[in-house]
Amino acid sequence: MQTDWDLVIIGAGCSGLSLALNLTKTQGASPKTLLIEQRKTFENDRTWCFWGADDAPYADLINKEWGRVSLCLGGLALDLDCKQAPYKCLTSSIFYDHAITSIKEQKSFELKLDSTLLEEPILKEGLWHLKTSFGHISSKSIVDTRPLATTELNKTKLWQSFLGLEVECEQSVFDPTCALIMDFLQPNTKLIGFNYVLPMSGKKALIEYTVFSAKPMSRLELTNSANHAALKYTKGASFEILRSEYGLIPMGIGSSLKAKQHGKQHMSYVHVGLTGGAARPSTGYSFQRIQTWAARCADSIKFAGIPIPNSKDNFVIKKMDHIFLTVLGTYPLLGPELFMKLFARVPTPKLIRFLTDKGTLLDYAAVVGALPKLLFLKVCFKLIFQ
Ligand SMILES: Cc1cc2nc3c(=O)[nH]c(=O)nc-3n(C[C@H](O)[C@H](O)[C@H](O)COP(=O)(O)OP(=O)(O)OC[C@H]3O[C@@H](n4cnc5c(N)ncnc54)[C@H](O)[C@@H]3O)c2cc1C
């Protein structure tokens, strides 16, 4: 039977482009791949940060890294050395430019911008049929990276909502050697709020207001606090807002939803990305997990001809994250103190390994040992008997 494409990737964002980049690197013939993307152009719309050593993905594209990070709660400040796995930053526009240039160099790849699906794909006689804004096409397999709507994510345990402002000051006010990853606001019973400051230089920084809460928060709801944060960290210097970035990350989306995969129950169709299970439930960090998936998925397409979904977390991580999110959701007032305890009591290399899915059993034990036993036991009993 005549097929237009071996693989269609719906959505050319982080997951779609990362998979395409890995496929361009495979030895021999790459699958004939089409990327369908609704955007007309790629903007600098997000800043990806992650802990990574020199072998971290896209090491040559990283535009800034910090060997020190800090956290603050009230008068208490923690300053942590993370030189063994610095906190790295990759600006999305650098990644998009690199990915699009690499894809354009490949004859077997095509990226269609300003394009979308008009109907959900249908499987007929072993081929996927897609009705798109540029006509009918068929494909042997599909990787769907479209995010699910927040209304479909109603089992999400906590939402991470954030608004970042990239500011440039007239004079130098930031310490470019240290990233402030959590500067907690007054603890309260409704949400956990903190500011996040990534100083790119003495004059330039991304200043972000972040909230963990039961309901997602809109850009508008975060605007006042983000503006306050910009005023606070620029310390009276006059500044210009260069751009903003808004994000909404579901933390702990529930396994039934991940299995749903947009209703397509066939191994040649996978739903992946942020709402397909890519995000680490307890932190929302997804970038590195997407890179791990993209490399594995490219290998699977190359050797077995089928894409694979995001990997499942191991049993221990799944349970630990579930309990931690339940504690944060039930006792937001205690959230800032719990984070401070974790970072203060667990040696930084252990904590980084735990947060980046590389933890050993001893690292898990160190994390458990740092948290208040009675509170966590209470929540465990509640989870068992509810
Ligand atoms: C502002 C922001 C900052 C973040 N910072 C970090 C961070 O520091 N560290 C970290 O680990 N994670 C971070 N994340 C989380 C996560 O890494 C990113 O959201 C990442 O981009 C998720 O990749 P994705 O492929 O799932 O989604 P996306 O990158 O959003 O890609 C989905 C693509 O699908 C396209 N699309 C949607 N619907 C259609 C349709 N119907 N037809 C065609 N195309 C469609 C979209 O236009 C988009 O290009 C951040 C997220 C945001 C929003």
Side-chain angles (χ1 to χ4, degrees):
M1 192 184 294
Q2 180 71 33
T3 320
D4 299 314
W5 301 95
D6 294 321
L7 172 68
V8 165
I9 301 175
I10 310 173
C14 184
S15 303
L17 292 173
S18 301
L19 175 60
L21 273 174
N22 276 276
L23 287 171
T24 62
K25 283 189 253 158
T26 51
Q27 302 287 312
S30 307
K32 221 177 139 207
T33 304
L34 173 69
L35 290 107
I36 301 176
E37 169 56 47
Q38 68 180 7
R39 318 184 211 199
K40 290 192 173 89
T41 53
F42 285 85
E43 310 285 335
N44 186 11
D45 61 353
R46 58 201 69 191
T47 308
W48 288 301
C49 284
F50 52 93
W51 272 283
D54 289 344
D55 59 352
Y58 308 113
D60 47 339
L61 300 181
I62 300 298
N63 51 309
K64 177 78 187 158
E65 65 175 44
W66 298 270
R68 278 168 53 228
V69 295
S70 63
L71 290 90
C72 294
L73 172 59
L76 187 68
L78 286 174
D79 196 329
L80 306 166
D81 183 321
C82 59
K83 283 188 200 73
Q84 77 293 348
Y87 198 54
K88 294 179 187 287
C89 164
L90 172 54
T91 297
S92 60
S93 54
I94 297 177
F95 173 77
Y96 295 145
D97 286 350
H98 167 73
I100 291 161
T101 308
S102 307
I103 289 166
K104 280 191 179 152
E105 283 167 4
Q106 305 285 323
K107 282 206 186 83
S108 55
F109 284 73
E110 191 176 336
L111 168 62
K112 282 235 179 251
L113 295 181
D114 195 13
S115 305
T116 189
L117 296 190
L118 301 179
E119 285 170 14
E120 286 304 303
I122 294 170
L123 182 65
K124 246 194 287 172
E125 293 161 12
L127 278 186
W128 288 99
H129 295 264
L130 300 97
K131 191 175 171 192
T132 73
S133 51
F134 52 90
H136 284 86
I137 53 165
S138 63
S139 176
K140 288 182 190 157
S141 52
I142 294 181
V143 171
D144 188 350
T145 78
R146 287 173 296 171
L148 298 177
T150 48
T151 45
E152 285 189 75
L153 297 163
N154 50 10
K155 282 196 178 159
T156 298
K157 285 198 87 63
L158 270 186
W159 286 92
Q160 184 177 150
S161 318
F162 50 96
L163 178 60
L165 305 176
E166 189 175 309
V167 302
E168 186 161 38
C169 299
E170 267 175 15
Q171 62 269 39
S172 185
V173 289
F174 305 111
D175 171 6
T177 65
C178 184
L180 177 56
I181 56 171
M182 288 179 138
D183 186 0
F184 289 102
L185 283 94
Q186 185 71 30
N188 71 70
T189 52
K190 293 217 159 43
L191 51 84
I192 299 166
F194 60 91
N195 294 322
Y196 174 82
V197 183
L198 297 179
M200 302 296 174
S201 67
K203 290 185 178 177
K204 217 183 205 185
L206 177 69
I207 301 175
E208 209 161 88
Y209 170 61
T210 303
V211 168
F212 294 170
S213 56
K215 297 263 173 284
M217 290 178 75
S218 67
R219 174 185 273 269
L220 193 65
E221 286 172 292
L222 302 174
T223 300
N224 265 344
S225 301
N227 287 336
H228 271 120
L231 284 172
K232 175 175 173 186
Y233 300 100
T234 49
K235 299 172 192 154
S238 61
F239 66 90
E240 185 191 348
I241 297 177
L242 304 177
R243 61 171 196 97
S244 65
E245 59 180 64
Y246 166 70
L248 198 53
I249 300 181
M251 298 165 78
I253 56 178
S255 51
S256 60
L257 191 89
K258 279 183 248 168
K260 190 176 150 200
Q261 299 195 350
H262 271 287
K264 322 287 183 319
Q265 302 290 338
H266 197 271
M267 63 204 294
S268 57
Y269 189 116
V270 291
H271 175 232
V272 297
L274 193 65
T275 60
R280 173 77 182 264
S282 60
T283 61
Y285 279 106
S286 338
F287 182 78
Q288 270 175 314
R289 289 159 65 101
I290 289 173
Q291 302 317 318
T292 308
W293 160 80
R296 287 191 189 142
C297 188
D299 283 347
S300 172
I301 290 170
K302 185 181 159 200
F303 295 114
I306 47 163
I308 54 166
N310 294 105
S311 311
K312 289 195 169 68
D313 288 315
N314 72 43
F315 180 80
V316 183
I317 286 280
K318 218 170 14 194
K319 289 293 160 207
M320 284 176 79
D321 278 13
H322 184 64
I323 295 166
F324 189 64
L325 284 179
T326 308
V327 170
L328 293 184
T330 318
Y331 306 102
L333 191 63
L334 301 179
E337 195 188 317
L338 293 177
F339 280 105
M340 293 299 281
K341 281 193 169 135
L342 257 187
F343 278 89
R345 293 180 179 173
V346 182
T348 310
K350 281 181 181 288
L351 189 58
I352 291 178
R353 281 200 297 271
F354 175 75
L355 294 174
T356 54
D357 306 333
K358 291 182 184 140
T360 61
L361 284 177
L362 284 177
D363 299 335
Y364 299 168
V367 168
V368 172
L371 295 167
K373 312 284 168 302
L374 272 180
L375 176 68
F376 278 75
L377 278 176
K378 202 165 129 189
V379 168
C380 286
F381 278 118
K382 237 171 134 182
L383 283 172
I384 292 167
F385 294 111
Q386 76 186 0

